[in-house]
Amino acid sequence: MYPKSLQELIDSFRNLPGVGEKSAERYALNVLDWKDTEVQAFAQALLNVKEKLHYCNECGNLTENDTCDICNDPDRNHEVIFVVQSSKDVLAMEKTNEYHGVYHVLNGLISTSKGIMPEDLNIDSLIQRAKNAKEIILATNTTMDGETTAMYLNKLLHAECPEVLVTRIAHGLPTGGMLDYADEMTLTHALSDRRKM
Ligand SMILES: [Zn+2]
């Protein structure tokens, strides 16, 4: 049995995805070797992300400001909106340098098995934004929940904003594919081969 403070640190690391007991022990014991300043910086970084980061008022992406850098960028095409599950997907897409529109981050997917309903997601503001847009690209993952969400949004957008073009990224992504795991080439093709819904 470890001393209480060490066990608490191990338990904290275990909360991270993919970290088992052995890795958590290794991380926690490693922290003991750090300089005091390094430990303080680490603790402060953890507090900072909780305190400073929040969702962009416009698109739902993570930002330290009211609106994110992408929404504030006048050089981007604000009439094309790429709809994704999470901020991780925005980062993945930005790495391709091939997309110059803006984003909308749902912060989740509709999931009957997990009890996540449309009202739990950042959908109302998407409908408002779609009224001034030319194209909405539905880029949720090709998992069951991703497809369910895309179908739901397609129906809602057709009803609420009949003028807007709704497209779905191509299935260059394998079925069950996660946007943030796809390589840049796959993502670029998924975007360029998108089809009308
Ligand atoms: Zn934004």
Side-chain angles (χ1 to χ4, degrees), residues 99-116:
Y99 178 67
H100 309 293
V102 291
Y103 294 89
H104 193 87
V105 184
L106 298 169
N107 288 310
L109 293 174
I110 297 168
S111 171
T112 40
S113 61
K114 292 180 197 143
I116 301 170

Side-chain angles (χ1 to χ4, degrees), residues 118-173:
E119 54 270 29
D120 299 322
L121 305 176
N122 184 24
I123 290 177
D124 287 349
S125 64
L126 172 64
I127 303 304
Q128 292 313 311
R129 295 178 77 197
K131 288 174 180 163
N132 299 314
K134 287 209 166 75
E135 182 179 357
I136 305 292
I137 305 167
L138 299 178
T140 48
N141 297 331
T142 55
T143 55
M144 207 194 325
D145 290 346
E147 294 293 358
T148 304
T149 306
M151 276 188 284
Y152 174 85
L153 291 176
N154 180 44
K155 222 171 135 190
L156 188 63
L157 286 162
H158 278 299
E160 300 280 334
C161 322
E163 302 292 304
V164 78
L165 171 67
V166 182
T167 56
R168 179 87 172 106
I169 50 162
H171 287 254
L173 289 175

Side-chain angles (χ1 to χ4, degrees), residues 10-108:
I10 292 168
D11 293 345
S12 293
F13 280 125
R14 280 218 64 177
N15 288 332
L16 294 169
V19 176
E21 187 70 31
K22 285 271 167 287
S23 297
E25 281 176 6
R26 202 153 43 86
Y27 294 163
L29 290 168
N30 185 268
V31 169
L32 294 178
D33 296 332
W34 294 8
K35 294 192 199 105
D36 284 356
T37 50
E38 288 170 332
V39 174
Q40 265 152 15
F42 185 51
Q44 194 59 52
L46 291 173
L47 292 170
N48 282 348
V49 289
K50 282 308 276 186
E51 258 167 43
K52 295 186 179 172
L53 282 183
H54 49 256
Y55 297 131
C56 169
N57 288 337
E58 183 92 10
C59 73
N61 194 12
L62 285 172
T63 177
E64 290 188 1
N65 305 309
D66 290 342
T67 45
C68 72
D69 291 346
I70 295 171
C71 287
N72 284 331
D73 187 346
D75 293 332
R76 300 193 73 120
N77 182 353
H78 289 251
E79 293 181 320
V80 179
I81 302 175
F82 193 87
V83 181
V84 292
Q85 175 183 351
S86 79
S87 289
K88 275 193 298 186
D89 303 324
V90 173
L91 284 177
M93 202 60 208
E94 284 298 284
K95 279 193 202 144
T96 67
N97 281 319
E98 293 292 328
Y99 178 67
H100 309 293
V102 291
Y103 294 89
H104 193 87
V105 184
L106 298 169
N107 288 310

